[in-house]
């Protein structure tokens, strides 16, 4: 599983709705990548709170204990899953 921020891409219903509701923060398409920036005003929290929650979830989900729990449960493609999960775990620690 990979985790991304909601990104209202052009020509999608989500984008049209957010544009109509004036929720978009800008239209700098470089920031519309789903990983490094919140590009809209979320309801019930600030953009910074959403981003911090996203980072916290990633840190916990890709942590070593979570990785070990997933490996114990998953019996499919163990070598592939081990390499992918270990890579994600290490990448999160570096960020």
């Amino acid at each position: 599983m990979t985790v991304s921020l909601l990104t209202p891409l052009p020509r999608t219903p989500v984008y049209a709705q957010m544009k109509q509701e004036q929720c978009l923060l800008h239209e700098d398409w470089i920031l519309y990548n789903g990983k490094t920036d919140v590009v809209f005003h979320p309801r019930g929290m600030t953009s910074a709170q959403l981003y911090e929650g996203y980072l916290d979830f990633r840190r916990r989900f890709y942590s070593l204990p979570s990785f070990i729990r997933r490996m114990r449960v998953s019996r499919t493609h163990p070598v592939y899953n081990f390499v992918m999960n270990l890579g994600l775990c290490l990448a999160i620690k570096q960020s």
Side-chain angles (χ1 to χ4, degrees), residues 38-55:
V38 175
V39 295
F40 65 95
H41 292 287
R43 289 187 186 139
M45 67 179 79
T46 67
S47 298
Q49 288 171 320
L50 176 59
Y51 188 69
E52 285 304 314
Y54 160 73
L55 292 179

Side-chain angles (χ1 to χ4, degrees), residues 44-74:
M45 67 179 79
T46 67
S47 298
Q49 288 171 320
L50 176 59
Y51 188 69
E52 285 304 314
Y54 160 73
L55 292 179
D56 182 57
F57 177 82
R58 281 182 41 170
R59 279 189 289 271
R60 287 184 290 118
F61 185 80
Y62 296 121
S63 70
L64 190 56
S66 178
F67 160 58
I68 291 168
R69 275 193 307 276
R70 287 194 307 278
M71 289 303 298
R72 284 186 181 148
V73 172
S74 176

